[in-house]
Amino acid sequence: MAVTTEEQVEKVRELVAAIPPGRVSTYGDIAAAAGLSSARTVGWIMRTDSADLPWHRVIGASGRPAAHLAARQLRLLGEEGVAIVDGRVDLRSARV
């Protein structure tokens, strides 16, 4: 298993912090921009080190939030004006 460096963690944090209100990015988008090989690594970083970040602006490629976060994440995104249809973020209109 590849080791995630502190630089990679900081790059992910920087990218997430830069997502403007009313917009979203996918785990895969963040991974690609940070030079990571897997969107899962971004998920791991978000689970362990995102309390001070706009974590709700990072979403899966399907546009659906994780079940355990869905209500809160969709509420926060909706408050920012993100289009949500049938419990899914409209990535075409909201993706950075």
Side-chain angles (χ1 to χ4, degrees):
M1 182 174 178
V3 175
T4 305
T5 67
E6 189 61 35
E7 292 78 20
Q8 290 169 322
V9 171
E10 286 308 310
K11 182 64 176 175
V12 167
R13 290 179 48 77
E14 175 186 309
L15 290 164
V16 172
I19 303 168
R23 305 297 296 226
V24 299
S25 190
T26 68
Y27 291 99
D29 292 340
I30 300 288
L36 299 171
S37 60
S38 173
R40 289 182 184 273
T41 303
V42 175
W44 173 81
I45 293 168
M46 296 299 292
R47 278 191 306 279
T48 59
D49 193 20
S50 70
D52 60 336
L53 296 173
W55 60 268
H56 61 285
R57 296 181 190 142
V58 182
I59 194 113
S62 70
R64 286 199 190 282
H68 69 287
L69 297 172
R72 185 170 175 215
Q73 189 169 19
L74 292 175
R75 178 181 53 79
L76 291 168
L77 290 171
E79 289 171 0
E80 293 183 358
V82 172
I84 299 165
V85 179
D86 295 328
R88 185 181 302 216
V89 171
D90 179 3
L91 292 175
R92 279 184 299 239
S93 67
R95 200 174 195 171
V96 175

